[in-house]
Amino acid sequence: MTKIGLDHYLIVSALLFALGLLGVLIRRNLLVMYMSLEIMLNAANLALVAASRFNNNLDGQVFVFFIITVAAAEVAVGLALIVALYRKRQTAHVEDLTTMKL
Amino acid sequence: MHDALFYIFSAAALIFAFLVILNPFSRNAVTSAMFLVLTIGSLAGLFVLLEAYFLAAVQVLVYAGAVMVLFLFVIMLLDLKVEERRGFKGWRRKVSLVAGMFSVGVLLHFIFRSFHQSTLHRDIGAIEGATAPLGQLLFTQYLLPFEIVSVLLLVAMIGVILLSKKDLQ
């Protein structure tokens, strides 16, 4: 009998989410920040799948399916925005983008 | 066997995710993207351990396949320079250090407190995320969200085409 329970998966998911958050906070390249966002989304997916598995309920997995679909749409739009921004400003470094700063 | 695989896959996912954000050897965006592919692959392994077979396949096809190809296309299109390190100086550095330490302390306090009171059960259910039961749920109970998501994908596609036109007027 296996000893791995829901809490093990939740700890891995929390650590993964923290790593993604750290990436958004410390990296200054827009593309790498975007990848860190993907890591955070994946951490949430892992938590949902684990919860669905240990509660005998498939609804969580359907939710993960929708999250993956929305994430794909979000990546497409976000990368198009980054490309449009780069065309105008020639940079993907967040500290060079200060037009809206007061 | 199951336990060992869990530890291998989760350690791999965490190490690769760390290398995405803080690679000591390279600050190149392409390296980050490659390690992100490996992270997603390890997560797909964890999904298989959780018997979510359909989602593991979707994870590999959609994330490691489509999304990462999109990322790599954009990285190579933009021709980025190596990211510079511009740190904070003076009082800002001190304030951010204190604020960071404080929030980590508060979070650790709550995490330990919740583990003391944890009542998470450990019995393994018999559910299996194969394609057939998931599809049945998707096309009966979740039919309306499914259709809405298809419209969302269409809207995203039109938005991307509009955004990538030469002149945004």
Side-chain angles (χ1 to χ4, degrees), chain B residues 49-75:
Chain B
L49 285 185
L50 285 167
E51 293 179 355
Y53 304 121
F54 176 69
L55 283 181
V58 165
Q59 177 95 347
V60 171
L61 287 178
V62 174
Y63 261 118
V67 169
M68 291 318 297
V69 167
L70 210 60
F71 262 111
L72 286 174
F73 259 124
V74 170
I75 290 169

Side-chain angles (χ1 to χ4, degrees), chain B residues 56-141:
Chain B
V58 165
Q59 177 95 347
V60 171
L61 287 178
V62 174
Y63 261 118
V67 169
M68 291 318 297
V69 167
L70 210 60
F71 262 111
L72 286 174
F73 259 124
V74 170
I75 290 169
M76 292 178 182
L77 198 70
L78 292 194
D79 183 29
L80 295 171
K81 290 159 227 74
V82 175
E83 183 181 339
E84 318 147 50
R85 295 172 203 231
R86 306 180 194 171
F88 287 131
K89 290 168 212 79
W91 63 273
R92 282 187 188 202
R93 191 188 174 86
K94 281 174 199 138
V95 169
S96 41
L97 258 178
V98 171
M101 296 281 191
F102 178 71
S103 35
V104 167
V106 171
L107 274 176
L108 280 180
H109 169 73
F110 280 114
I111 285 172
F112 280 124
R113 217 177 66 174
S114 60
F115 271 125
H116 269 297
Q117 300 163 348
S118 164
T119 53
L120 297 175
H121 51 97
R122 282 166 176 256
D123 50 327
I124 300 253
I127 201 159
E128 208 176 272
T131 314
L134 213 60
Q136 208 151 36
L137 210 55
L138 211 56
F139 285 114
T140 53
Q141 198 183 338

Side-chain angles (χ1 to χ4, degrees), chain B residues 140-167:
Chain B
T140 53
Q141 198 183 338
Y142 292 99
L143 187 58
L144 182 64
F146 187 75
E147 298 294 339
I148 292 174
V149 155
S150 69
V151 176
L152 174 79
L153 283 176
L154 180 68
V155 169
M157 196 170 79
I158 296 171
V160 168
I161 292 170
L162 203 68
L163 278 174
S164 48
K165 274 172 59 166
K166 261 278 180 282
D167 43 349

Side-chain angles (χ1 to χ4, degrees), chain A residues 2-3 27-28 53 86, chain B residues 3 21 50 78 83 122:
Chain A
T2 173
K3 285 203 302 294
R27 292 301 293 261
R28 301 277 71 129
R53 172 80 171 79
Y86 190 83
Chain B
D3 291 17
I21 62 166
L50 285 167
L78 292 194
E83 183 181 339
R122 282 166 176 256

Side-chain angles (χ1 to χ4, degrees), chain A residues 6 9-10 20-21 23 29 37 40 44-45 48 50-52 55 57-58 60 63 65 75 79 84 86 88-89 91 98:
Chain A
L6 177 57
Y9 284 100
L10 288 187
L21 184 62
N29 185 332
L37 274 181
M40 281 156 76
N45 282 351
L48 278 170
S52 126
N55 283 313
N57 192 343
L58 266 184
F63 202 68
F65 176 80
V75 165
L79 288 178
Y86 190 83
K88 230 174 161 55
R89 294 296 189 77
T91 180
T98 52

Side-chain angles (χ1 to χ4, degrees), chain A residues 38-70:
Chain A
E38 294 304 310
I39 293 179
M40 281 156 76
L41 273 173
N42 272 302
N45 282 351
L46 179 62
L48 278 170
V49 173
S52 126
R53 172 80 171 79
F54 288 98
N55 283 313
N56 252 327
N57 192 343
L58 266 184
D59 290 355
Q61 299 197 10
V62 175
F63 202 68
V64 170
F65 176 80
F66 286 128
I67 291 180
I68 291 177
T69 320
V70 173

